[in-house]
C-alpha cells in the first residue's frame, strides 16, 4: 500500500511545487482504486518499487531480492508505522498543549 504513503508525501510536496502535483493526483487515483478493491492502473506503485529496488541493487543484491519479494508486506509495515507516528505525534501535541 505504498500509494498511501506516496499520497501523503506528494500531497504535501505538491503544495509547494507544481511538479509533484501530477504525482499526487496519480497517488490519489491509486489509493481510491485500492480502497474500492481494484488494481492501480497508473503504475505508480510499480515505478516506486523499481526505484527502491534500483537503490538497493547497487549496494546489496541480496537485500534487493528480499525487498522485491516482500515489497507489499514492507509497504504495509511502513504504512502502519506512518499512521502510528501521526497518531503518537498528535497525542504528544495534545499533551504539550
Amino acid at each position: 500500500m505504498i500509494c498511501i504513503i506516496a499520497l501523503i508525501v506528494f500531497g504535501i510536496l505538491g503544495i509547494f511545487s507544481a511538479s509533484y502535483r501530477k504525482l499526487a493526483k496519480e497517488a490519489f487515483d491509486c489509493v481510491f482504486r485500492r480502497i474500492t478493491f481494484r488494481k492501480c492502473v497508473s503504475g505508480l506503485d510499480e515505478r516506486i518499487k523499481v526505484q527502491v529496488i534500483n537503490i538497493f541493487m547497487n549496494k546489496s543484491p541480496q537485500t534487493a531480492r528480499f525487498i522485491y519479494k516482500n515489497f507489499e508486506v514492507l509497504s504495509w509495515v511502513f504504512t502502519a508505522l506512518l499512521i502510528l507516528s501521526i497518531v503518537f505525534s498528535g497525542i504528544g501535541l495534545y499533551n504539550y498543549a
Side-chain angles (χ1 to χ4, degrees):
M1 204 54 172
I2 195 75
C3 297
I4 292 176
I5 297 173
L7 176 63
I8 294 169
V9 171
F10 292 140
I12 292 170
L13 290 175
I15 293 171
F16 303 107
S17 175
S19 62
Y20 290 107
R21 289 183 189 145
K22 181 181 175 191
L23 292 172
K25 288 178 187 176
E26 287 182 33
F28 177 75
D29 181 53
C30 186
V31 168
F32 180 73
R33 287 182 166 276
R34 290 295 298 256
I35 289 173
T36 57
F37 300 111
R38 293 183 286 174
K39 182 149 177 72
C40 181
V41 255
S42 67
L44 179 68
D45 53 345
E46 290 296 322
R47 284 186 284 160
I48 292 173
K49 181 178 179 179
V50 167
Q51 288 177 351
V52 169
I53 298 301
N54 189 24
I55 291 170
F56 285 101
M57 185 61 90
N58 295 333
K59 297 179 181 177
S60 174
Q62 292 176 340
T63 305
R65 188 178 310 120
F66 174 76
I67 293 173
Y68 182 78
K69 289 181 181 179
N70 301 311
F71 191 78
E72 188 70 24
V73 173
L74 291 172
S75 67
W76 275 105
V77 168
F78 282 115
T79 302
L81 287 173
L82 174 72
I83 292 170
L84 283 173
S85 172
I86 291 170
V87 167
F88 287 131
S89 295
I91 291 170
L93 287 173
Y94 174 77
N95 287 333
Y96 181 73

